[in-house]
Amino acid sequence: MNAENVFVQKWFMSKIKQDNRNFNFFSRTGDIMKETEKAYLISFEVSSLDGEWDGVKHIWVPKKCTMTEAEYKAELEEAESRFLAGCEAYDNLLAFAKQHGVKGVRSGMRKSTIEQKIREAGIACA
């Protein structure tokens, strides 16, 4: 694995952030400083919460908790496709409510609120 192409998995990055609450991490990637059979010592760019200090923090990360750049990009693309599918489903629900004349429904409402208004109008959701 190349140093620039090692990314920390999202769940493990959350654990790192929880263990280092006094720091803001700029990204899920960093330079590999050392490597053992099972882990990398990764150098992360950080700043203090108050913004007074910028620097580097070295953290051991198990190799099984890292991913390649290709895996990272695939994760981002999958998250984007899930988001777009959710937006499409929301737009379809909103269009269904407006098509059936449900009063008080507008863009920006929560999905659960739109569904509630549809039920109150006595219409079965599609």
Side-chain angles (χ1 to χ4, degrees), residues 1 6 8 28 30 37-39 63 73 96 98 117-118:
M1 254 182 215
V6 174
V8 178
R28 288 173 45 192
E37 184 180 325
K38 295 185 177 184
K63 287 183 178 180
K73 286 181 180 179
F96 176 83
K98 287 184 177 184
K117 289 193 175 281
I118 291 172

Side-chain angles (χ1 to χ4, degrees), residues 6-65:
V6 174
F7 292 82
V8 178
Q9 291 182 8
K10 191 174 186 177
W11 70 269
F12 196 77
M13 195 67 207
S14 295
K15 182 180 180 322
I16 290 172
K17 288 179 181 180
Q18 185 178 17
D19 293 343
N20 296 279
R21 289 187 184 121
N22 296 331
F23 298 100
N24 288 322
F25 288 79
F26 294 118
S27 70
R28 288 173 45 192
T29 186
D31 296 328
I32 296 174
M33 304 307 291
K34 290 183 183 178
E35 180 178 354
T36 65
E37 184 180 325
K38 295 185 177 184
Y40 296 117
L41 180 64
I42 299 180
S43 173
F44 291 100
E45 290 184 29
V46 297
S47 69
S48 61
L49 285 180
D50 59 8
E52 293 288 321
W53 178 81
D54 290 333
V56 175
K57 186 143 179 77
H58 302 285
I59 299 174
W60 283 101
V61 177
K63 287 183 178 180
K64 67 180 183 180
C65 298

Side-chain angles (χ1 to χ4, degrees), residues 68-113:
T68 63
E69 186 175 6
E71 292 169 329
Y72 178 72
K73 286 181 180 179
E75 180 184 279
L76 291 179
E77 289 173 5
E78 195 262 330
E80 181 181 5
S81 67
R82 275 194 332 262
F83 175 77
L84 293 175
C87 288
E88 183 179 347
Y90 177 85
D91 291 341
N92 290 340
L93 182 66
L94 186 62
F96 176 83
K98 287 184 177 184
Q99 180 182 22
H100 287 84
V102 178
K103 294 187 186 225
V105 175
R106 64 186 181 285
S107 180
M109 288 183 140
R110 291 178 185 237
K111 176 185 167 197
S112 59
T113 305

